[in-house]
Amino acid sequence: MSFTLHDLEAIIAARAKADPSESWTARLVAAGPERAAKKLGEEAVETVIAALGDDRDALVAESADLLYHWLVVCRTRGIALDEVLAELESRTAESGLAEKAARDA
């Protein structure tokens, strides 16, 4: 499969420019970061519930919803996927436990 989060980010950017009456993405972006963040929170809860169940397909579907809504929130705040990926990459220089200990110190 060649579909990436960068592809999804580009689709969101294109759809954000559409008429909000014709695009869910445009509607979320037009409503602002607060509405997009609320929807992200709802999707996060649904993902957790799916993770606790035995329905693998439900977890896959909710995970997709979560990633989509997370990218919409990032878009409303002007944060590019590459910025998040760079942050993740910077964290790979040390173990997660060492990184957390440094933050807690």
Side-chain angles (χ1 to χ4, degrees):
M1 180 179 297
S2 63
F3 187 80
T4 69
L5 287 177
H6 283 102
D7 295 331
L8 181 56
E9 181 182 47
I11 291 167
I12 289 168
R15 291 184 181 170
K17 298 173 187 170
D19 184 325
S21 67
E22 297 177 6
S23 166
W24 171 246
T25 302
R27 188 177 301 169
L28 274 177
V29 171
E34 294 81 11
R35 174 68 179 115
K38 180 180 177 195
K39 187 63 182 165
L40 175 63
E42 292 169 10
E43 296 301 338
V45 170
E46 291 172 9
T47 303
V48 169
I49 291 168
L52 295 172
D54 291 329
D55 187 343
R56 185 179 189 284
D57 291 339
L59 180 54
V60 169
E62 293 302 339
S63 296
D65 288 347
L66 181 65
L67 289 171
Y68 162 80
H69 286 91
W70 169 70
L71 282 172
V72 170
V73 167
C74 287
R75 170 119 186 123
T76 65
R77 290 299 189 185
I79 298 171
L81 175 59
D82 283 340
E83 292 178 72
V84 178
L85 294 176
E87 175 64 21
L88 286 170
E89 183 178 29
S90 75
R91 294 178 183 191
T92 62
E94 60 186 333
S95 79
L97 294 176
E99 187 270 333
K100 183 174 178 355
R103 280 189 290 151
D104 293 341

